Amino acid sequence: MKILWIKSDFLVPADTGGKIRSYNILKMLAGMHEVSYLCLAEEEPSQDGLDHLKSFCKDVEFIGFSPDKKFSPEFYLSLLKNLFSKHPYVINKYKDDRVEDTIREYIRQKNTDIIVCDFLEMTPNCINIENFPKVLFQHNVETEIWRRHFEVNENPLKKGYLYLEYQKFFKYEKKACSKFDDVLVVSESDGRLLENQYDVSHTTLIPTGVDIEYFKPAPEKIKPENIVFVGSMDWLPNQDAVDYFVKSIYPKIKAKRPDVRFYIVGRRPPEYIRMLSERDNSITVTGTVDDIRPYVDEASVYVVPIRIGGGTRIKIFEAMAQKKAIVSTAVGAEGLPLTDGKHIIIKDEPDDFAEAVLELMENRDEAFRLGENGYKLVTEKYSWEKVAQRFSDALEDVLNKSRGRAAVGDSLGESQS
């Protein structure tokens, strides 16, 4: 099978949850099929990154583009102009005729069998390619993220803008999903939502995986006073989670454990997140790090205070592979096959969340039990090899159905002649 995988950014380094998921599945698929990778790139990829992808991909192509820099005057002007568009800002941002032209070249000249569109933002570059097998890989239901942004935001001006984007996303996502032969989802709840509210005719579950050879437990390195949050800090749901934790939960923990240390680990934190460590020297904001594992190794408790989101959190499975005791909100653990009290502790109210963290910091036997249960779950069921095989099976199903329709069409044509 010849697969063309399209994405809105270069895949290396795999430094976000979405990139980690895509990278691992794509790499495993390349061992089973011929995979070509086509993406947009704001910056020219490094030669090392290109060479790495080319070591397992048939072709690797990137198309340079220059969107307005976030928080610049041009960026805000673009947001203002986009108020008059029927499509969300992100969809217009990544629409590029050069991508569609390149896809058509792959179909004509390289005998591509199927297109994998990775994330909703790339759909405008392939939904007009009709009568050709294509699937949409939905890491989230994007509309749900914007709905939750709207619900938790307290600034009236921002709330109004977020409501408009939420409504635009719903209309666009519903229409775009209908243009694909299958929509691949990362949780059963996302699949049900798309089928029930977005009129998607068929979804296939692709569970979250974890690299169990890379993420390994190191209990001897735990520091009892350490708490950690891991996530890309240029993503709004993670920013909201950290801001919420520091303002509403962390003071309650610190009141009973003055020695506590909180580490915020993730790339590109905005200035107001960086300032958290200036105001409180028990908080460390690392910014981009080469390896998150040492920070997780040292944590007695791993926190996921997410209030906005969709899909599933790869970070939770990675933490489980390191045998971490985890406290999360219900949204943070949404879509994962976890049992509250067995694999993870789920608390939504700030007081309850703080008490759960304190209990695990004090009761190492309970923390060990949670870590063991989570570790057993992910190592037995959720390796990337197993996940990639399910992905491959889904693509084969789409291709077989497409060939079946073509065969029926040919036979009908012959009978009519």
Side-chain angles (χ1 to χ4, degrees), residues 225-284:
E225 69 276 14
N226 282 18
I227 301 170
V228 70
F229 174 89
V230 175
S232 301
M233 293 314 301
D234 54 353
W235 196 47
L236 286 174
N238 286 337
Q239 294 169 9
D240 175 80
V242 164
D243 191 50
Y244 164 65
F245 183 82
V246 169
K247 289 179 179 177
S248 302
I249 299 170
Y250 190 57
K252 302 175 191 301
I253 298 170
K254 200 172 180 184
K256 294 185 178 180
R257 280 292 299 258
D259 63 330
V260 67
R261 303 282 304 175
F262 179 43
Y263 288 82
I264 301 165
V265 183
R267 71 175 196 174
R268 300 175 187 168
E271 185 61 26
Y272 83 95
I273 296 293
R274 287 188 178 278
M275 288 299 295
L276 295 175
S277 61
E278 297 291 323
R279 300 190 193 103
D280 185 340
N281 62 13
S282 74
I283 297 173
T284 300

Side-chain angles (χ1 to χ4, degrees), residues 35 42 64 159 371 373:
V35 181
E42 295 186 37
K159 199 172 185 72
N373 289 341

